[in-house]
Amino acid sequence: MTSAESGTTVVVVTWRGAGHVTACLDALAAQTRPHRTLVVDNASDDGTGALLAAHPSRPQVLRLRRNTGYAGAMARALEQVGTPRIAWLNDDAEPEPGWLAELEDALDSQPLAAAVTSRLELADGGTQSTGVRLTADGHGADLTEPSDEVFGFCGGAALLRTDAVRAVGGVPAGFFCYYEDTDTAWRLRLAGWHVVSAEARVRHLHGASTRPGSPLFHRWNERNRLLMLLRCAPSAVAVRELVKFAALTVLLPLRRHRPAAANFAPALRWRVLGELVVRLPGTLRERRRVSRIAALGRGAIWEAWAGL
């Protein structure tokens, strides 16, 4: 259901999504609450464009000339959104008919909340995420148990106040993929906003466009976690985690038994460190901008949420 009177734009980011984006759009068309649908196509070359053009819901489509990743596409979408609320939805997600209504009602009932996250469920019925927690070493990790308030939202399916996201600097387009949601949530919290969870259910294929566990997955995760900490965390935490990452990278070749996971490959870790060095001046400028919008101290947020 779509309407020019809607207060929400649902943004679907797709890249080579021909195998699953139709199911996502079908689920959006079945929503009980009016909305606008904006699909950002990251230069798909698999027929996705034709499927979008032929879909009976007639979504608005923004086709990019190159693949900018989930973060880059969401940043471009934010420029186009004129509604007071913006929903993030993966192209391999199928929300239940009442999904958007539940999210809107949850957000409208809590004026101090800037974001509400969904309940993402895997194909086998298991729970993938009810929100994001912050670990003691600064990782964003999925929660699987219900909780009224959470540190952050899962970008696979969430609803946010558009003006609040813009006020804290928008979406970090340079992240390309992963941690753009946790970074955004952290900045919202620094600005004094809350993040809550709702029982709005979404079936999620998880990893249909990317391969969890692949070298690219680990490269983006390791790099973006550290970039997020440099932007948002207390300086002592950011420096500690950066030093730990660098020290382990140096020592890994000396280990007799090294874990087989891709994020323990020295070449990948050196590449991450190289990318961090190149981005460091800009990241520190961004850190100063974050400080200017902060209503709460970085230490207060860390003490309240790290390790939970």
Side-chain angles (χ1 to χ4, degrees):
M1 183 184 297
T2 61
S3 169
E5 303 299 322
S6 170
T8 297
T9 299
V10 181
V11 177
V12 178
V13 175
T14 190
W15 176 71
R16 298 179 180 174
H20 47 263
V21 72
T22 297
C24 176
L25 294 178
D26 288 346
L28 284 177
Q31 292 299 301
T32 60
R33 191 67 59 86
H35 63 279
R36 295 176 178 177
T37 300
L38 171 61
V39 182
V40 186
D41 182 3
N42 262 323
S44 298
D45 55 6
D46 65 342
T48 294
L51 291 174
L52 298 176
H55 198 272
S57 68
R58 301 179 63 84
Q60 179 185 351
V61 178
L62 174 61
R63 179 171 171 82
L64 304 183
R65 293 185 177 184
R66 63 183 180 85
N67 184 4
T68 62
Y70 194 75
M74 285 302 312
R76 286 292 302 274
L78 188 61
E79 299 171 1
Q80 308 287 322
V81 171
T83 52
R85 296 180 295 263
I86 178 173
W88 298 22
L89 186 67
N90 281 3
D91 66 345
D92 58 356
E94 297 176 43
E96 291 189 349
W99 168 74
L100 184 58
E102 290 184 56
L103 291 182
E104 287 185 341
D105 291 347
L107 196 61
D108 290 346
S109 69
Q110 303 200 50
L112 297 181
V116 55
T117 193
S118 308
R119 184 184 188 93
L120 278 79
E121 298 179 342
L122 300 170
D124 63 4
T127 300
Q128 176 197 339
S129 178
T130 58
V132 173
R133 64 185 178 90
L134 189 63
T135 70
D137 56 0
H139 282 86
D142 283 316
L143 290 164
T144 57
E145 296 297 326
S147 179
D148 291 338
E149 185 163 4
V150 291
F151 174 76
F153 61 92
C154 175
L159 183 67
L160 296 87
R161 299 187 192 276
T162 307
D163 287 347
V165 177
R166 288 182 175 139
V168 298
V171 184
F175 279 27
F176 191 83
C177 198
Y178 301 115
Y179 274 95
E180 65 281 333
D181 48 3
T182 310
D183 181 279
T184 300
W186 203 324
R187 285 178 286 117
L188 288 169
R189 285 204 163 277
L190 284 169
W193 290 101
H194 292 212
V195 180
V196 297
S197 181
E199 279 290 307
R201 294 177 181 271
V202 178
R203 180 179 178 271
H204 188 213
L205 294 181
H206 187 47
S209 298
T210 60
R211 291 188 298 113
S214 70
L216 266 179
F217 171 89
H218 282 297
R219 172 189 156 203
W220 292 328
N221 266 279
E222 298 288 1
R223 181 194 68 190
N224 293 347
R225 175 182 73 97
L226 293 170
L227 286 173
M228 178 187 69
L229 292 175
L230 288 168
R231 287 157 55 94
C232 301
S235 56
V237 173
V239 171
R240 181 193 73 200
E241 292 304 317
L242 184 57
V243 169
K244 282 172 57 179
F245 185 89
L248 181 56
T249 301
V250 170
L251 294 174
L252 269 175
L254 304 178
R255 283 190 173 186
R256 179 174 299 177
H257 301 290
R258 189 172 71 223
N263 57 323
F264 288 99
L268 182 147
R269 297 177 70 90
W270 280 114
R271 180 166 185 176
V272 167
L273 286 171
E275 291 179 346
L276 289 171
V277 169
V278 170
R279 293 174 180 231
L280 187 59
T283 300
L284 293 179
R285 287 193 297 271
E286 291 164 3
R287 181 181 177 87
R288 290 192 289 271
R289 283 195 288 269
V290 172
S291 294
R292 288 196 290 271
I293 60 95
L296 301 175
R298 298 173 192 269
I301 299 297
W302 180 260
E303 290 174 9
W305 290 100
L308 299 180

